[in-house]
Amino acid sequence: MTAPNDPDADRTLKARHRAMWALGDYPAVAAEVIPALGPVLVDACGVKPGAQVLDVAAGSGNAAIPAALAGADVIAGDLTPELFDAGRRTAAEQGAQLRWEQADAEALPYADGAFDVVMSCVGVMFAPHHQAAADELVRVCRPGGTIGLISWTPEGFIGRMFAVMKPYAAPPPPGASPPPLWGDPAHVARLLGDRVTDVEVRRATVRVDHFNTAEEFRDYFKANYGPTIAVYRNLADQPERAAELDEALAELARRDDLGWGAMDWEYLLVTARRAE
């Protein structure tokens, strides 16, 4: 699905997305719940000193900061610059130097072939128009360069969480595709097409042990995770439905509890080279 032709509608949609991700405290989620994912992606992409790296939908730098610590020349780009202050603090604490730039994943402000590595860690999957975002990932990667993606799978915990929230959420805008589709290998293959080679696909899990109870998980996401906050705001005048969602999210976490307050969240790791 390509981006809409109506510039005003697209600007309105992007403003909504920016506002949603500025809700709560996504940098806390990245740092406290899934800190391991960024280094996994950087390692999979083979980031080397001196490489020109773009982290698309970088958030607060979960992958961009490890790439910079590996010696790369990194730009962390995101539609929501409100996330950058937390990233800058973390980078300073760790001694990482990188640039932070506002950038729409569907219209990246960079030249064709500008980067050796183009990556995204559970980020670009949330751009509403998947084909437009995929086209941009390929465009700004140099021929022979690496594209690397980590995305939540539809079958994994976060994919199922979005399925649980869907009946309570506002209708998606026309033309928008569900984020967890990026965790479907066939979908990613269609998006990238024959413009990439040496494609490697692997399902893996990240251990999440930040929560002691299912209710603690639910309340943390209600307070910190933009998409969950937005769904509850949609139910502001429907307390009975909000209570239903409370129980549904807690039950989801109960089912995935490994028995000691830990969960394994599945993701899809994709690496590929842009065709020469």
Side-chain angles (χ1 to χ4, degrees):
M1 182 70 67
T2 56
N5 294 322
D6 184 344
D8 291 334
D10 191 48
R11 280 192 292 270
T12 299
L13 174 59
K14 298 303 170 57
R16 285 175 51 193
H17 270 250
R18 173 179 173 175
M20 179 184 71
W21 287 105
L23 295 171
D25 190 353
Y26 183 75
V29 177
E32 297 171 356
V33 182
I34 54 169
L37 285 186
V40 167
L41 181 58
V42 170
D43 183 65
C45 290
V47 174
K48 298 290 193 299
Q52 301 294 312
V53 175
L54 175 65
D55 186 5
V56 179
S60 52
N62 186 289
I65 292 171
L69 291 172
D73 182 2
V74 180
I75 294 176
D78 199 283
L79 184 67
T80 307
E82 290 85 348
L83 304 175
F84 292 166
D85 283 348
R88 290 189 181 99
R89 288 193 296 271
T90 301
E93 290 166 1
Q94 298 185 17
Q97 295 186 349
L98 64 156
R99 286 170 286 168
W100 304 84
E101 298 180 357
Q102 185 173 13
D104 179 353
E106 298 178 5
L108 294 169
Y110 307 111
D112 296 357
F115 298 95
D116 302 306
V117 176
V118 180
M119 62 183 185
S120 187
C121 183
V122 294
V124 74
M125 64 180 291
F126 291 101
H129 305 102
H130 292 190
Q131 191 62 64
D135 291 349
E136 286 293 270
L137 295 176
V138 174
R139 181 184 67 78
V140 301
C141 185
R142 67 166 175 80
T146 298
I147 296 171
L149 306 167
I150 284 181
S151 307
W152 302 120
T153 66
E155 305 86 358
F157 182 84
I158 295 296
R160 287 181 285 119
M161 185 187 78
F162 273 90
V164 165
M165 294 193 301
K166 183 177 179 180
Y168 303 92
S177 298
L181 280 179
W182 277 92
D184 176 355
H187 183 69
V188 178
R190 286 191 293 271
L191 292 175
L192 299 177
D194 61 3
R195 298 173 296 177
V196 297
T197 63
D198 303 317
V199 179
E200 296 186 11
V201 178
R202 176 168 63 91
R203 291 179 185 268
T205 59
V206 59
R207 175 64 50 86
V208 174
D209 56 8
H210 187 70
F211 311 108
N212 294 315
T213 67
E215 290 76 16
E216 186 179 336
F217 153 76
R218 176 199 63 209
D219 293 344
Y220 182 95
F221 266 60
K222 284 176 67 174
N224 293 294
Y225 191 60
T228 305
I229 297 169
V231 172
Y232 275 95
R233 288 191 174 186
N234 188 55
L235 302 175
D237 59 351
Q238 303 176 66
E240 291 183 358
R241 284 178 57 76
E244 289 177 4
L245 181 55
D246 276 348
E247 178 53 30
L249 288 174
E251 178 57 27
L252 176 70
R254 288 188 204 106
R255 290 199 304 268
D256 277 55
D257 190 333
L258 297 173
W260 59 92
M263 297 178 278
D264 285 338
W265 293 2
E266 186 182 66
Y267 61 88
L268 188 75
L269 173 61
V270 177
T271 59
R273 299 205 175 276
R274 182 179 171 183
E276 299 279 358

